[in-house]
Amino acid sequence: MRAPPRLYALVAAAVLSVVGAALAPTPTLAASGPATTTASVAPADAPSKPLDPNAAAAPPKLRASGNKLVDENGATRRLLGVNRSGGEFMCVQGYGIFDGPVDDASVKAIADWKVNAVRIPLNEECWLGLSHINPAYAGANYIAAVKALVARLEAHGITPIVELHWSHGTYTGGDSHCPGTAYATCQKPMPNAQYTPAFWTSVAQTFKSDRAVVFDLFNEPFPDRATSDLTAAWKCWRDGGSCPGIDFQVAGMQTLLNAVRTAGAKNLVLIPGVAYSNDLRQWLTYRPNDPAGNLAAAWHTYNFNTCSSESCFDEQLAPVIAKVPFVAGEIGENTCSHGYIDRVMAWLDAKGASYLGWTWNTWDCSSGPSLISDYNGTPTNFGVGLRDHLKGMQ
């Protein structure tokens, strides 16, 4: 899922069903002054409200065991939750760090939906503190804000999933979303060799002592849009280097996984497929080698994606689910209703797989899947489906 800058948002909407990536609106500037947004840019060390003394138990230290996720006691676990967009675009656009509040009250509202996992999209340029990013929203300030959100989630028993959403690299090929810049202002087809390994080394070093944190290596790879050779696309996905149709040197999934493990982190790692994470047909063939043996497959699905029917799920996903843990990192639909995700959740429930709805942001659900209309957790017509389903599972 992508949150495009306003300059190309309308164009992106026109091709939404083709590229398989949904929209998230950006804050608009007032006529004179700051952005009209509810961004939270409080100092990273600002105190939170005292937590409930009856707060939930700490989230589990997850690991892969066969095709299941298990905790430190060997009990089977599923990740069931939401995405919390903002950390990928606010900083690079100069508006702040998060889109809306991320204080304890806002996290409690998420927990009240019986959510046990929250995926946090990030921007590599902001994390690394590159010079074109406002220092207030970059480097140490950005990292501290992410760490604080992770701590708040864990205090409510919620598994944090940190993932790379927007990355560096000029890309002018098929499905290019910001061809005029190398900056991390949109989705790119693959991670880049220049900055992404350094990003994951730093993230891994930051969280390696906290095995409750899950790493999601890259949001929605689409090397298959840069070349008609699907085998070449999957090789690019795994091995990186000079990839057909991609303008920059690519860091493949193996390189990123190596960066995480070399940094000493044994955390669970999610690895997506191609076609905006919707195609996993060759995931088992090309999956990276993991010395820690702690990988899960990540998949995204929306009603406008190519693989959006139970027959496709049976054909393409079931073989993967039979072999490795499976996390649908984004599920959603652009209908402002929940008929599609109802079907998806039923299918994944039957397989014992995990899923997270896109997204816990107060955007117009008719222009992109938005679960809530306010940060107290009032659901949209779309969000009602996920909320009621999660609450009904308790």
Side-chain angles (χ1 to χ4, degrees):
M1 188 61 72
R2 58 192 170 95
R6 183 70 63 191
L7 289 176
Y8 67 89
L10 295 178
V11 176
V15 299
L16 186 61
S17 64
V18 177
V19 303
L23 298 175
T26 42
T28 54
L29 287 176
S32 61
T36 56
T37 176
T38 56
S40 173
V41 293
D45 59 353
S48 301
K49 294 181 181 179
L51 296 179
D52 186 338
N54 298 315
K61 298 176 176 64
L62 294 172
R63 61 181 174 86
S65 178
N67 70 338
K68 304 295 183 184
L69 296 176
V70 300
D71 62 21
E72 49 268 56
N73 298 315
T76 299
R77 299 280 193 140
R78 297 171 68 198
L79 296 172
L80 303 169
V82 300
N83 286 261
R84 183 65 181 88
S85 182
E88 73 273 37
F89 65 86
M90 289 290 287
C91 56
V92 76
Q93 294 174 359
Y95 296 120
I97 295 179
F98 296 110
D99 178 32
V102 291
D103 57 6
D104 188 69
S106 68
V107 172
K108 182 180 183 302
I110 296 175
D112 286 345
W113 278 30
K114 305 304 180 184
V115 160
N116 70 14
V118 170
R119 184 168 172 261
I120 308 169
L122 301 179
N123 184 301
E124 70 181 13
E125 294 178 346
C126 300
W127 181 281
L128 295 173
L130 299 194
S131 61
H132 61 281
I133 308 293
N134 185 332
Y137 315 137
N141 288 332
Y142 185 86
I143 293 170
V146 173
K147 289 172 65 178
L149 177 54
V150 164
R152 291 186 192 107
L153 292 169
E154 291 186 341
H156 285 274
I158 295 173
T159 295
I161 304 171
V162 293
E163 65 96 2
L164 177 57
H165 213 84
W166 282 6
S167 55
H168 190 87
T170 300
Y171 175 64
T172 58
D175 280 14
S176 58
H177 303 302
C178 51
T181 180
Y183 291 157
T185 58
C186 70
Q187 286 185 222
K188 305 298 171 68
M190 283 292 292
N192 65 89
Q194 185 175 6
Y195 293 117
T196 313
F199 166 84
W200 275 114
T201 294
S202 178
V203 172
Q205 290 172 340
T206 300
F207 294 113
K208 66 183 179 181
S209 62
D210 184 358
R211 292 283 299 277
V213 178
V214 175
F215 301 153
D216 189 347
L217 289 185
F218 194 70
N219 177 45
E220 293 181 345
F222 54 98
D224 50 301
R225 300 299 201 264
T227 177
S228 60
D229 185 339
L230 192 56
T231 297
W234 275 101
K235 288 181 177 178
C236 172
W237 174 88
R238 183 189 61 195
D239 301 329
S242 297
C243 294
I246 298 179
D247 310 72
F248 54 86
Q249 286 292 300
V250 169
M253 297 299 135
Q254 184 68 66
T255 296
L256 302 188
L257 181 60
N258 291 348
V260 168
R261 298 305 185 220
T262 300
K266 297 181 180 180
N267 304 54
L268 175 68
V269 173
L270 309 184
I271 301 190
V274 301
Y276 294 91
S277 302
N278 187 242
D279 184 351
L280 270 66
R281 285 175 291 179
Q282 297 190 56
W283 193 97
L284 292 172
T285 300
Y286 288 97
R287 62 176 166 178
N289 177 59
D290 182 16
N294 203 14
L295 296 182
W299 177 66
H300 292 185
T301 187
Y302 293 88
N303 58 306
F304 47 78
N305 285 146
T306 299
C307 189
S308 58
S309 66
E310 285 82 353
S311 60
C312 183
F313 304 163
D314 291 338
E315 178 187 357
Q316 297 188 15
L317 306 183
V320 180
I321 292 175
K323 296 291 186 180
V324 295
F326 188 93
V327 179
E330 294 182 14
I331 64 171
E333 56 190 285
N334 61 355
T335 63
C336 211
S337 61
H338 51 85
Y340 179 66
I341 67 163
D342 289 347
R343 291 169 37 215
V344 170
M345 291 187 292
W347 192 89
L348 293 171
D349 285 341
K351 301 293 184 182
S354 301
Y355 47 83
L356 297 92
W358 181 276
T359 175
W360 190 274
N361 295 74
T362 56
W363 304 329
D364 181 357
C365 65
S366 64
S367 63
S370 178
L371 294 165
I372 54 172
S373 58
D374 61 56
Y375 287 103
N376 294 321
T378 303
T380 60
N381 291 334
F382 163 61
V384 165
L386 181 67
R387 183 201 61 180
D388 290 356
H389 189 80
L390 294 181
K391 285 192 169 185
M393 297 174 71
Q394 302 305 309

